Amino acid sequence: MGTGWYRLVTLLSLVNMYVLFRNPCRSSKYIILLVILIGVFTGVYLCAHSGSSSNEYAHWLSNDIVQPIPFVPPPTASPSDPSNVDKLQKSIADLHHVVTQYRAEQLHREKEVKHELQNKLEQLLGERLTSNEEVHRQEAWESQQKVLKDVECIVKKEMSAYRDEQEAQMQARNDLVNIKQDLGSLPLKVKGVVAEMMTQLTNSKEISSEMAPFHKWLLQHFVPRDSLPLLMQQLENEISANLRKLFGHLKDGAKNDFWSTVTKEEVLNIVHRSLKRFSEDKTGKFDFALESAGGAVINVRCSESYTSKAAIISFFGIPLMYQSQSPRIIIQPDMNPGNCWAFKGTHGFAVIRLSASVELTEFVMEHVPHALSPAGRIDSAPREFSVFGLQDENDEQGHLLGKYIFQEDGESLQTFPVQVINIPPYQIIELRILSNWGNPDYTCLYRFRAHGIRIEQL
């Protein structure tokens, strides 16, 4: 409607200018025609917009947003009257004034409407933002509550663990106090137990069942002082009986001559020397290869240890570990049956570092005797072997010191002298086993000794 009125005013201004510059008598027809066209145009415009915007127009009028245009009555004078031009101009001026005033009011109303709409929009946006803030605030509060619950659970767990730890420490402290009290009274208890044991041991009639195994062990390893002379007399009688068996094939005269020349003291000296030599590693000489004295097996070349088929550790029938001895066993004094280094096949190597640089004189190889073998034979014993002196561990050639044969039917301990003279001192030697006495699967090596003179003593 504002645009229509703006166009109408523009048209009227053009008409006003046309009339001012034209003769009123000649243009009266045109003025009447123009007024009729304006009326027709206004009627058509109002009819076209009356149906579609009647409700809106009523709404605007009810809210005092749009004011109706004041009606200006058309001139009633005759068109041929000359004064009609002035009246028409005045009517047009009044109409222009009304239109201008209406436009000013309309602009003012539009500003007010825009202002009200802006306020309502800001209010709606504020309410929406307020609701969003409430949602965010609620979510933040819920998340804070959840975090607080988690922290509370963690604190409870930590406090529970701390209380358990404190209780454990108190219990440990109490246990330590009790142990300290027990340790304070322990010497008295030990003295009482020792006194009771000594009483029972001195009086064999009062030995309890608990002390019987200990008393038996003492009697097996120690001799009572009162029984020592009797045991010495029994040992002397046994030695005499063995000597009689040994020299029983001699004639009576020879026997008498022998027994007349051998005294009791000489026999005891022979026995004592034999026992002493047996206690001195059966040789009476220092073993420079002995592990406890500083010797070590540092290499076995390509020899592979032999493992038994029976596993010592298994899991649901699956073998996990097999029994096998280390090569170190050959320089240790334990000679129990089966306590040997077994390697596969008939060829084996062992590089030994002696406890000092030595001018070697002899080697000793020891094997379990036939009587202690479960099968009654020693076919796994070494047969041919050789010994080499090495300058260092990586020396693969070496200096041959001797080639020997261990006799199966000989003594369990056999000595082999060095076969080369004027040899330099060595600290590393290599034992090479070349064959055994018939066992195709493995060869057993129990004990190997190396004797000589230390280079510092030369």
Side-chain angles (χ1 to χ4, degrees):
M1 291 179 66
T3 305
W5 280 110
Y6 179 76
R7 292 177 179 177
L8 178 61
V9 171
T10 304
L11 183 59
L12 290 176
S13 299
L14 294 175
V15 170
N16 188 17
M17 292 178 65
Y18 180 81
V19 171
L20 290 177
F21 291 96
R22 292 287 182 178
N23 189 357
C25 295
R26 295 180 180 179
S27 60
S28 59
K29 295 179 180 181
Y30 297 99
I31 292 172
I32 294 172
L33 180 61
L34 180 61
V35 172
I36 293 172
L37 291 174
I38 290 171
V40 173
F41 177 79
T42 304
V44 173
Y45 181 81
L46 292 176
C47 291
H49 291 81
S50 61
S52 61
S53 60
S54 60
N55 294 330
E56 296 178 359
Y57 184 72
H59 177 71
W60 283 80
L61 290 176
S62 63
N63 292 318
D64 294 333
I65 296 175
V66 179
Q67 296 294 333
I69 301 173
F71 177 75
V72 180
T76 58
S78 176
S80 62
D81 190 0
S83 61
N84 288 338
V85 175
D86 296 333
K87 292 180 179 180
L88 181 61
Q89 292 180 354
K90 185 177 179 181
S91 298
I92 292 172
D94 293 339
L95 182 61
H96 177 71
H97 177 71
V98 171
V99 171
T100 303
Q101 186 178 2
Y102 175 78
R103 288 186 60 194
E105 292 178 358
Q106 186 66 23
L107 291 174
H108 179 70
R109 291 293 181 182
E110 287 180 358
K111 290 181 180 179
E112 289 181 353
V113 170
K114 289 181 180 179
H115 183 68
E116 291 179 1
L117 290 175
Q118 186 176 2
N119 291 334
K120 289 183 179 180
L121 181 61
E122 290 178 355
Q123 185 178 1
L124 292 174
L125 290 175
E127 292 178 356
R128 186 173 181 181
L129 290 174
T130 304
S131 63
N132 291 334
E133 290 178 357
E134 289 294 332
V135 172
H136 290 306
R137 190 179 295 108
Q138 182 69 22
E139 292 178 354
W141 184 80
E142 292 178 355
S143 62
Q144 290 177 359
Q145 291 295 322
K146 185 177 180 181
V147 172
L148 289 176
K149 289 182 180 179
D150 295 339
V151 172
E152 185 179 1
C153 294
I154 294 173
V155 170
K156 287 182 179 179
K157 290 181 181 178
E158 292 295 333
M159 292 298 296
S160 178
Y162 178 75
R163 286 195 295 269
D164 295 341
E165 184 178 359
Q166 291 293 325
E167 293 177 357
Q169 290 181 358
M170 291 295 296
Q171 184 66 30
R173 191 178 293 108
N174 296 332
D175 294 341
L176 289 175
V177 173
N178 296 332
I179 291 172
K180 186 176 181 180
Q181 294 177 356
D182 294 340
L183 289 176
S185 61
L186 184 62
L188 297 177
K189 294 181 180 179
V190 171
K191 289 182 180 179
V193 172
V194 171
E196 184 179 358
M197 290 175 59
M198 294 302 297
T199 302
Q200 292 183 3
L201 290 176
T202 53
N203 190 359
S204 60
K205 295 181 180 180
E206 297 180 0
I207 296 177
S208 62
S209 59
E210 297 178 354
M211 294 297 298
F214 180 66
H215 186 264
K216 183 179 180 180
W217 180 84
L218 285 177
L219 294 179
Q220 291 177 351
H221 293 81
F222 299 95
V223 178
R225 184 177 299 176
D226 299 337
S227 303
L228 184 59
L230 180 60
L231 293 176
M232 292 295 294
Q233 185 63 37
Q234 293 178 356
L235 179 62
E236 183 179 352
N237 294 335
E238 291 178 0
I239 292 173
S240 299
N242 291 332
L243 291 175
R244 291 190 184 95
K245 291 180 181 180
L246 180 63
F247 300 101
H249 62 280
L250 298 177
K251 296 180 179 180
D252 293 338
K255 290 181 181 179
N256 294 331
D257 294 339
F258 174 79
W259 290 113
S260 62
T261 55
V262 178
T263 62
K264 178 180 179 180
E265 288 77 9
E266 292 177 349
V267 173
L268 291 176
N269 289 333
I270 294 172
V271 172
H272 289 160
R273 285 196 299 269
S274 300
L275 293 175
K276 183 180 179 181
R277 184 174 182 180
F278 182 83
S279 64
E280 294 174 348
D281 200 17
K282 303 179 185 179
T283 60
K285 299 177 182 179
F286 181 77
D287 181 14
F288 288 94
L290 186 64
E291 184 180 41
S292 59
V297 177
I298 58 177
N299 198 343
V300 293
R301 303 296 188 194
C302 57
S303 303
E304 182 179 359
S305 298
Y306 180 81
T307 56
S308 60
K309 296 182 180 179
I312 59 174
I313 298 178
S314 60
F315 181 75
F316 291 103
I318 301 174
L320 301 178
M321 182 180 295
Y322 295 93
Q323 183 178 8
S324 63
Q325 293 287 1
S326 168
R328 296 170 45 206
I329 199 70
I330 66 174
I331 55 175
Q332 295 176 359
D334 191 357
M335 282 296 299
N336 291 322
N339 195 29
C340 65
W341 176 45
F343 55 87
K344 290 185 179 181
T346 59
H347 291 72
F349 305 87
V351 180
I352 303 173
R353 177 185 285 113
L354 305 178
S355 58
S357 182
V358 180
E359 184 180 342
L360 297 166
T361 57
E362 63 183 15
F363 308 104
V364 176
M365 182 172 289
E366 186 176 5
H367 197 275
V368 65
H370 292 78
L372 298 182
S373 176
R377 63 181 186 274
I378 54 172
D379 55 353
S380 62
R383 183 177 181 179
E384 296 178 341
F385 68 96
S386 57
V387 183
F388 290 81
L390 305 181
Q391 296 296 330
D392 52 50
E393 181 182 354
N394 298 321
D395 186 4
E396 297 183 357
Q397 298 297 327
H399 184 194
L400 181 63
L401 302 179
K403 191 174 182 179
Y404 313 99
I405 297 178
F406 184 84
Q407 300 297 331
E408 180 188 15
D409 54 355
E411 297 291 334
S412 61
L413 187 145
Q414 299 179 23
T415 304
F416 305 94
V418 175
Q419 298 175 351
V420 182
I421 59 176
N422 298 327
I423 59 173
Y426 290 101
Q427 191 173 2
I428 300 177
I429 60 175
E430 181 179 3
L431 172 64
R432 300 180 183 179
I433 306 298
L434 305 177
S435 63
N436 62 16
W437 285 97
N439 193 315
D441 298 326
Y442 60 90
T443 302
C444 289
L445 186 58
Y446 275 85
R447 178 78 185 276
F448 182 78
R449 300 174 176 86
H451 302 305
I453 304 172
R454 291 187 62 171
I455 189 64
E456 293 82 2
Q457 297 178 356
L458 294 178

